Amino acid sequence: MTAQPSLSRRAAAELVGTAGLLVVVIGSGLKAAELSRDTGVALIANSFASAIGLGLIITIFGPLSGAHLNPVVTLTSWWSRRTGGEGLGGREALVYTVAQSAGAIGGALIAEVMFGRTPGTFATQVRDGGHLLIGEVVATAGLVLLIQGLGRIGRSGLVPAAVAAYIAAAIWFTSSGSFANPAGTIGRSFSDSFTGIAPQSLPGFVGAQLVGGILGLALSVLLYGTGTGTRYRSRSRSRFGRSAKPAPVDGASPAKAAYETVG
């Protein structure tokens, strides 16, 4: 087993990874709006680029930090550890969350500068209404259930592709456009663009995301229990020809076992 990266390296990975995610999301939105006046075409381009970028970012930063890139994912990891599973300690979770939030804001500002826009201009697109908040609950619950579920059945190696595919779909099937990330939502308030969200809409969206995270975690426990992969290993062997390796307790996340490549 390779040594776990230091907390500072993991925090840096979360900061850079989340910044990269916001550059992709906002930058692709700006480019799409620049090239087409058709909102549907712009959304197709934005969702496609966001999904590809997210999958690549998870792949490259997963070996370092687990590539949470999202405070809700980090908080569910912290809760899993508190209940006897794998995940982050309280101090690690706090550092991750701060790094993700800072990275999201930084990524938004970089995207704005890259497209010749004035950085630091707050978004004016108000996103309110109960139907949008329900959309955020559903989007975030599905994301957490996907990540936790794959970890609990020992299939964490599928996380990069699965999360990318889920976000691409959720952008379309949820009323809110699937922000599903408190740090990302805060970052997107710094871009008055196609992908932005006005600051006054932040409390509702972030609150809905936290509720969705709790719901997704509860569903994962209900469906898969609190273990990590052991109950499903024999089934995985029969279906895929081999069983998944158990995830080590490394303080990063259930998904990090799939990325043990960093020396």
Side-chain angles (χ1 to χ4, degrees):
M1 184 184 299
T2 55
Q4 178 187 8
S6 66
L7 179 57
S8 60
R9 287 180 64 194
R10 286 183 281 143
E14 289 295 306
L15 187 150
V16 176
T18 310
L21 176 60
L22 268 290
V23 169
V24 170
V25 171
I26 295 175
S28 63
L30 289 170
K31 175 60 74 173
E34 181 181 291
L35 296 177
S36 176
R37 294 181 179 275
D38 188 314
T39 303
V41 172
L43 188 59
I44 289 173
N46 179 240
S47 60
F48 186 70
S50 297
I52 292 175
L54 177 59
L56 293 173
I57 289 169
I58 294 174
T59 299
I60 194 171
F61 291 108
L64 288 171
S65 66
H68 293 191
L69 315 175
N70 185 334
V72 168
V73 175
T74 293
L75 289 173
T76 55
S77 174
W78 167 77
W79 182 255
S80 294
R81 180 164 178 173
R82 281 182 58 87
T83 54
E86 299 159 6
L88 298 175
R91 177 170 171 268
E92 292 171 308
L94 177 61
V95 171
Y96 268 46
T97 299
V98 171
Q100 291 156 0
S101 300
I105 294 172
L109 297 179
I110 290 171
E112 292 285 296
V113 171
M114 188 166 59
F115 280 86
R117 295 159 59 92
T118 302
T121 302
F122 286 114
T124 56
Q125 185 171 354
V126 177
R127 300 176 188 263
D128 56 18
H131 66 294
L132 296 183
L133 301 184
I134 291 173
E136 278 302 284
V137 171
V138 171
T140 312
L143 177 63
V144 170
L145 176 60
L146 176 65
I147 295 171
Q148 288 285 324
L150 288 174
R152 290 169 193 271
I153 63 175
R155 305 300 296 175
S156 294
L158 298 176
V159 166
V163 169
Y166 174 80
I167 291 299
I171 288 173
W172 283 92
F173 75 71
T174 62
S175 57
S176 63
S178 185
F179 283 45
N181 182 337
T185 303
I186 293 170
R188 286 163 73 163
S189 72
F190 284 82
S191 175
D192 189 16
S193 66
F194 173 69
T195 58
I197 177 171
Q200 59 264 40
S201 300
L202 290 180
F205 263 57
V206 172
Q209 290 156 3
L210 294 175
V211 171
I214 294 171
L215 177 60
L217 185 60
L219 286 172
S220 69
V221 172
L222 174 66
L223 295 172
Y224 301 107
T226 57
T228 308
T230 54
R231 292 174 56 195
Y232 303 88
R233 207 157 287 143
S234 60
R235 182 180 301 176
S236 296
R237 182 181 290 110
S238 64
R239 291 185 61 189
F240 301 101
R242 62 183 178 85
S243 61
K245 293 182 180 180
V249 180
D250 59 13
S253 71
K256 189 173 178 292
Y259 309 116
E260 290 297 328
T261 59
V262 175

